[in-house]
Amino acid sequence: MTGKGGTGKSTVAAALALALASRGRNVLLCEVEGRQGIAKMFDVDPLPYEERRIAAGLPGPAGRAGAVFALHIDAESALLEYLAMYYRLGRAGKALDRFGVIDFATTIAPGVRDVLLTGKVYEAARSGRKKGTSSKGGAQYDAIVLDAPPTGRITQFLNVNDELAGLAKAGPIKKQADTVMTLFRSPRTAVHLVTVLEEMPVQETSDGIGQLRSADLPVGGVVVNLVRPRDLTGDLLDAARRDELDRETITGQLKDAGVEVDDSLVDGLTAEARDHAERRALEDAQRELVQAMDVPTYELPRIAGGVDMGGLYDLAAALREQGMA
Amino acid sequence: MSRKRTRVGPLATPESTADPLDVDALLDDQNTRIIVCCGSGGVGKTTTSASLALRAAERGRKVVVLTIDPARRLAQAMGIEALENTPRPVEGVNGGPGSLDAMMLDMKRTFDEVVEGQASPEKAKQILENPFYVALSSSFAGTQEYMAMEKLGQLHRDAVETGDYDLIVVDTPPSRSALDFLDAPERLSSFLDGKFIRLLTAPARGPARLMTAGFSMMTNALTKILGATVLQDMQTFVAAFDTLFGGFRARAQKTYALLQAEGTAFLVVAAPEPDALREAEYFVERLTGEDMPLAGLVVNRASTAPAGSLDADEAMAAASRIDRTGAGDPEQTPGLTVALLRLHADRIRIVEREAVLRRRFAAAHPAVPTAVVPALSTDVHDLAGLRRVGELLAAQR
């Protein structure tokens, strides 16, 4: 799950994980560069570098729900684990740390960081498939949702091969990158993009799809987030935009409902309606652009009070209804 | 208008609202030489930087604005869609003694220029062609941050020398860690000074003085993981780069000092969302901790409170009463009025939620002057739009 900053990609990733965790399926939700966003969203203690069960899935119509596990991946831990796993570098790993190599590799060496982060996701996917392999806690996952870096960086992040090209042309780290790429380019992966119906995010989404495609990475769908309520429709929306709403009907209905009505209240409501209608028109124009992208689209409402756990389940239900999970 | 009884959030007390940020005073103060806009991605940093720069120019300052990744149409409007890495005058700035130049950062070019400026042509060529350098200069996660600061240092030196500019406005990269750019100088110099680099350069310098057991264990491990060529490329790069280390570090530290200096003003940019405000809080605390001069907080995309006294609960109650009785014109069922009341309630709830978030921030950081900019219905992609944002920035009560 990727998306421009401010579009709510982490929220959508969490909602998708909950939605997928229906009908007894187990889902792993990973974050790779967050500030413990998952922990904050699900209101649990900060996550360690270890898979943790954090929530029960959305109960499906047919039977019991699965669980959502979470994993916070940081490059340092991934590197040390990688060294221990593949090279049995217990002592040498420490020596590397002492000479500042771990720090170097994870913060400065170009591309290495991303190889490590994606490599860990790959490991999780692998342990989910094969029974009895090394995954901690032995959890088996039916799906992995990755809260990935933003749209502007997603292709570079997933395309670890290219990032290493010219640097490591051979050797184990290159081989590791190749293996990871094979999974990312396979039909088992889908890169979803989160956007809001505003010009820049929509433009960036369209650019992002182009970049993913030219890197042979499988594009999933576009999730349109924070969509305004649509209580006003059709002719009424047009009338609101032209400031031609029927003030008498409004006044009458308000009075019948026991509201103290004066001109300023009706002025206020019609002004809000006009403002809303203008934004809806802009949203519609952007929606057309999204639909022209020729990928499946899903829409999630803006929740006025902010997204809490209840809100996450609501969003998950909306994604499931629309067939995303 | 009737008396105000709009309900606000539970934490709301009028006292905890921050002082308004006086943008014009900041821009008009001739001692303000550098304004740095920072904040997480997607909060409108670039627009804020460009609007401040335009407003300052139209108020008589000689301004240059350094943007990182402007929206295409905004870049076009400012005449900087081509990556040139040098400032160009912006057309259409309203007259007076001021002026506005703009540029978009070309990270790789900036890095190349630093190398070319510091090394002999022969050595520079050797460095620029090294695969490790190519990777470092185009994709290293901190390069953009460091190069933004490098460019700021350059612009500042030029400004002092030529007098072309008396105010530099800098947009910062949308870092994955919003603090990366502050760390960039230190990280680079610790990288260049680090044990690891010293060790890599040691063999190239002659007899392996440092060939301890630990070291060979390390190089063996690295060779095993990365492959021998990578280590070799790195060694060649580091050896070639060695003579530039001193210069690089000195520049990084100078830029850091420049950021701390009196003429610099940091503005933290945020949106009224929990994540963005949390990032803003990190920024405020970090800037304060590093003795960086923080001028204030800009909250973009704020929802505007509706007029009138009808609160959210009353509106929803009235809406459900109308719904239940099915009152009103049968032509307009499910009812225009119901829709209006729901929209009204929705808007009030958003305004209330944002107010709570802002007050929470203000309660924790009462000394940070704040400017709140209402959400615009369209994206800003021309000078008129920037001017409008500038007015909104300045119009804090």
Side-chain angles (χ1 to χ4, degrees), chain A:
Chain A
M1 192 69 72
T2 183
K4 184 176 158 50
T7 57
K9 91 183 149 62
S10 301
T11 309
V12 178
L16 179 61
L18 279 176
L20 287 168
S22 53
R23 294 183 285 273
R25 290 152 92 191
N26 287 327
V27 182
L28 181 67
L29 174 62
C30 300
E31 66 184 352
V32 288
E33 52 182 20
R35 288 182 186 285
Q36 293 285 350
I38 297 178
K40 274 169 197 136
M41 257 182 298
F42 287 86
D43 199 16
V44 294
D45 286 339
L47 297 167
Y49 181 72
E50 197 179 270
E51 292 145 43
R52 278 275 159 92
R53 186 183 190 283
I54 53 163
L58 197 65
R64 84 192 167 86
V68 176
F69 295 78
L71 174 63
H72 178 88
I73 304 176
D74 70 277
E76 292 75 25
S77 310
L79 179 57
L80 287 171
E81 188 189 44
Y82 176 81
L83 293 176
M85 206 154 72
Y86 285 93
Y87 303 99
R88 299 199 180 79
L89 287 182
R91 264 175 70 213
K94 289 222 178 71
L96 292 178
D97 202 14
R98 194 152 49 83
F99 284 106
V101 177
I102 301 292
D103 197 36
F104 173 83
T106 53
T107 60
I108 291 154
V112 172
R113 190 185 177 86
D114 291 348
V115 175
L116 290 166
L117 296 173
T118 52
K120 179 67 182 170
V121 177
Y122 171 80
E123 278 308 314
R126 207 173 61 129
S127 65
R129 199 174 65 223
K130 287 184 194 156
K131 272 201 173 161
T133 43
S134 68
S135 172
K136 286 170 190 166
Q140 307 273 310
Y141 302 113
D142 302 295
I144 294 177
V145 178
L146 171 62
D147 181 3
T151 315
R153 241 175 58 74
I154 186 65
T155 303
Q156 189 191 26
F157 176 78
L158 295 176
N159 206 1
V160 280
N161 256 346
D162 269 19
E163 235 186 314
L164 280 177
L167 194 63
K169 293 191 185 74
I173 198 144
K174 166 74 175 153
K175 226 162 73 195
Q176 159 94 353
D178 284 344
T179 326
V180 172
M181 278 315 295
T182 309
L183 172 66
F184 286 170
R185 290 213 168 108
S186 80
R188 300 175 64 213
T189 302
V191 184
H192 300 295
L193 300 97
V194 182
T195 189
V196 291
L197 292 175
E198 287 170 28
E199 207 175 309
M200 248 180 87
V202 168
Q203 179 64 49
E204 211 169 284
T205 303
S206 153
D207 294 348
I209 290 177
Q211 286 157 8
L212 286 165
R213 282 188 176 148
S214 49
D216 280 334
L217 289 160
V219 175
V222 172
V223 181
V224 178
N225 195 19
L226 303 171
V227 175
R228 279 165 208 283
R230 289 195 238 177
D231 297 302
L232 274 182
T233 46
D235 291 349
L236 284 180
L237 202 57
D238 291 339
R241 191 156 46 238
R242 289 192 308 266
D243 225 348
E244 288 170 5
L245 289 174
D246 181 355
R247 296 175 63 101
E248 266 174 42
T249 310
I250 299 170
T251 311
Q253 290 191 336
L254 285 173
K255 267 186 190 145
D256 290 346
V259 178
E260 233 178 278
V261 193
D262 56 13
D263 272 354
S264 78
L265 178 63
V266 181
D267 286 346
L269 290 176
T270 50
E272 283 168 48
R274 190 181 57 232
D275 190 46
H276 174 78
E278 276 167 8
R279 284 166 193 270
R280 284 276 299 280
L282 292 163
E283 280 196 354
D284 288 344
Q286 295 301 321
R287 184 178 282 110
E288 273 175 31
L289 294 177
V290 171
Q291 272 152 6
M293 288 173 195
D294 205 22
V295 292
T297 58
Y298 313 92
E299 294 208 0
L300 292 175
R302 183 179 67 177
I303 299 178
V307 178
D308 54 9
M309 260 322 269
L312 273 185
Y313 278 105
D314 288 346
L315 295 179
L319 287 178
R320 215 173 57 182
E321 272 163 30
Q322 295 172 61
M324 193 179 188

